Amino acid sequence: MNNYQVNENGYYGDFGGAYIPEMLYPNIEYLRQHYLNIMHEPAFQAEFQQLLRDYVGRPSPLFLAERLSEKYGTTVYLKREDLNHTGAHKINNTVGQILLAERLGKKRIIAETGAGQHGVATATVCALKGIECVVYMGEVDIERQAPNVARMKMMGATVIPATSGSKTLKDATNEAMRDWINNPLDTHYIIGSVVGPHPYPDMVARFQSVISEETRKQLQEKTGSETPDYVLACVGGGSNAMGMFYHFLDDEQVKLIAIEAAGKGVDSGESAATTLLGKEGVLHGSRSILMQTPDGQVVEPYSISAGLDYPGIGPQHAHLFKVKRAEYVSITDEEAMQAGLLCARLEGIIPAIESAHALAYLEKMNFTGKETVVVCLSGRGDKDLATYMKFFDL
Ligand SMILES: *Cc1c(COP(=O)(O)O)cnc(C)c1O
């Protein structure tokens, strides 16, 4: 059987590892030695499950989208991560990591954020636990995600603008890493996706794997089978997709489709279609696939959705791409926005623009009518309403 999980050295095939400055080595090594033991403790699991249920609101429903199904001539289910507390899948991971940070004896939390969703999810669990929270966010993202900045401040977090480079997610990530180097002992860095040095990609994937764990049970109840034909999810760094794929990886008949942001078009120079345009290299602590110039400079990514404009993907995704276990495709701004509007009009659900990228791919598939398709609705569109209004001139 193929192995899609991390090995003892922190690699998925050719990808992963921990490419970190010497000064971060003790933090990462400490985390690596303890994360699995802590996550397997019965007391940890009990508290994690209780918070997922009573605080996050899990299990999230698996919703049969009848009008979308009718439109596409097949059976479409939406995994409703948009209904989670704070409006996206990211809270699954931050709840897990705050419990881990407590057990590691950390007194201060730092995080980076793009769309603001991870910052909000982090500020939320820090408030819940009464732990100091500092969030780094690109100056451009602070402007386009003002409501999320307000939410973080409301919950007592300090939001620090990243003013270098494109002033977006990757720059915020650089600032957060710098902070951690300066505060190695008391601080835990909550990374928001399946990226970064080992053990983060594996740890975040495990916390998010609750998405596919629930989906299997829900499909069994609704269809009599635990496995669908297709699973679709959008990919920024890749955490909702990894959570959605996780418990289907070994069922090789389940087709996994990861949808990246093509921005204004794959060849426009303004996109975030990482696997199509990227090459192997090291970004933010792990070896993966990233968008880079011939001499190895990271290319500034672009997408209308702040959560997808990241120039890399998590190392596990790079591996799934390389061994062809999952298919990586891309959707333009225009296609995603149309799919977001369609979902609102046909189902009364306004999706995050990130999630709308996954929905848009339904349009490109050919169905016989007999398939079961699960789309991860990673988040709700409240944060994107201004962007939708402007785009459609509503
Ligand atoms: C952050 C975000 C994403 C992208 O992050 P992944 O780690 O790729 O899941 C997707 N959808 C929503 C709603 C988000 O907030």
Side-chain angles (χ1 to χ4, degrees):
M1 200 171 77
N2 287 316
N3 184 3
Y4 303 113
Q5 298 300 348
V6 78
N7 68 21
E8 60 280 10
N9 300 318
Y11 278 84
Y12 307 86
D14 298 335
F15 303 105
Y19 296 78
I20 48 171
E22 183 106 18
M23 288 169 79
L24 272 186
Y25 183 78
N27 300 30
I28 295 287
E29 181 55 19
Y30 191 66
L31 190 61
R32 189 189 68 76
Q33 282 174 7
H34 293 285
Y35 82 109
L36 286 177
N37 289 341
I38 292 175
M39 286 174 74
H40 289 144
E41 277 170 18
F44 177 92
Q45 274 303 322
E47 192 177 358
F48 184 47
Q49 296 305 331
Q50 181 251 324
L51 285 175
L52 288 183
R53 187 184 66 230
D54 300 339
Y55 191 67
V56 177
R58 304 201 72 91
S60 67
L62 184 70
F63 175 66
L64 171 60
E66 290 194 24
R67 299 186 70 206
L68 279 175
S69 297
E70 194 180 327
K71 171 163 171 60
Y72 292 117
T74 196
T75 305
V76 178
Y77 286 96
L78 304 177
K79 181 58 172 161
R80 299 290 308 275
E81 295 300 302
D82 61 312
L83 293 178
N84 292 343
H85 181 43
T86 71
H89 65 291
K90 295 211 170 72
I91 190 95
N92 304 326
N93 169 48
T94 55
V95 165
Q97 284 201 48
I98 200 82
L99 297 182
L100 194 92
E102 271 187 331
R103 282 157 177 82
L104 292 172
K106 304 293 180 174
K107 305 275 181 277
R108 178 175 177 268
I109 296 293
I110 56 171
E112 87 296 332
T113 195
Q117 293 297 98
H118 174 56
V120 169
T122 303
T124 302
V125 296
C126 288
L128 176 73
K129 289 292 184 180
I131 296 178
E132 182 190 350
C133 180
V134 174
V135 178
Y136 291 91
M137 188 168 185
E139 211 168 37
V140 168
D141 290 336
I142 286 181
E143 271 166 44
R144 56 182 178 176
Q145 305 290 344
N148 276 342
V149 176
R151 291 160 87 195
M152 285 184 258
K153 290 185 175 166
M154 183 83 185
M155 290 182 285
T158 305
V159 181
I160 302 183
T163 54
S164 63
S166 56
K167 305 180 175 61
T168 59
L169 181 57
K170 80 174 170 53
D171 312 291
T173 305
N174 289 332
E175 296 290 332
M177 288 221 181
R178 215 161 288 149
D179 181 314
W180 210 20
I181 288 173
N182 292 328
N183 302 284
L185 287 181
D186 67 332
T187 298
H188 175 67
Y189 177 17
I190 299 190
I191 293 183
S193 191
V194 286
V195 300
H198 179 66
Y200 279 100
D202 183 49
M203 182 170 71
V204 176
R206 285 169 185 265
F207 286 137
Q208 292 292 0
S209 70
V210 65
I211 299 173
S212 46
E213 190 183 327
E214 287 174 3
T215 301
R216 289 187 75 104
K217 285 195 200 117
Q218 292 165 322
L219 279 173
Q220 177 67 44
E221 281 164 20
K222 289 173 200 296
T223 69
S225 166
E226 282 189 15
T227 53
D229 298 290
Y230 293 97
V231 172
L232 276 62
C234 67
V235 174
S239 69
N240 85 90
M242 218 50 251
M244 189 75 244
F245 293 173
Y246 199 90
H247 291 285
F248 296 114
L249 285 172
D250 294 331
D251 295 290
E252 303 272 349
Q253 80 281 11
V254 178
K255 296 183 189 73
L256 309 174
I257 304 181
I259 294 103
E260 298 182 323
K264 294 181 179 167
V266 170
D267 301 319
S268 67
E270 291 183 79
S271 100
T274 307
T275 49
L276 272 166
L277 300 173
K279 285 197 285 295
E280 295 181 19
V282 172
L283 179 68
H284 296 143
S286 63
R287 182 167 182 80
S288 188
I289 295 172
L290 56 131
M291 291 166 44
Q292 52 189 311
T293 60
D295 56 349
Q297 293 292 325
V298 176
V299 170
E300 303 290 358
Y302 162 82
S303 166
I304 194 166
S305 74
L308 299 186
D309 73 347
Y310 183 68
I313 47 167
Q316 194 168 12
H317 281 290
H319 181 58
L320 296 179
F321 170 71
K322 195 161 180 180
V323 301
K324 299 192 164 64
R325 173 63 189 96
E327 189 184 348
Y328 290 76
V329 298
S330 65
I331 283 293
T332 64
D333 287 355
E334 171 74 33
E335 291 165 334
M337 295 302 276
Q338 294 296 346
L341 187 65
L342 189 74
C343 184
R345 300 270 161 106
L346 290 186
E347 301 291 349
I349 297 170
I350 302 171
I353 300 173
E354 290 84 357
S355 322
H357 282 73
L359 290 166
Y361 197 66
L362 291 169
E363 192 84 42
K364 311 220 160 186
M365 297 172 73
N366 291 313
F367 295 115
T368 65
K370 297 206 179 67
E371 304 84 354
T372 302
V373 183
V374 178
V375 182
C376 186
L377 210 76
S378 55
R380 66 177 87 124
D382 304 30
K383 67 184 176 60
D384 298 317
L385 277 177
T387 311
Y388 277 126
M389 292 299 101
K390 194 168 160 217
F391 191 88
F392 291 113
D393 202 13
L394 291 171

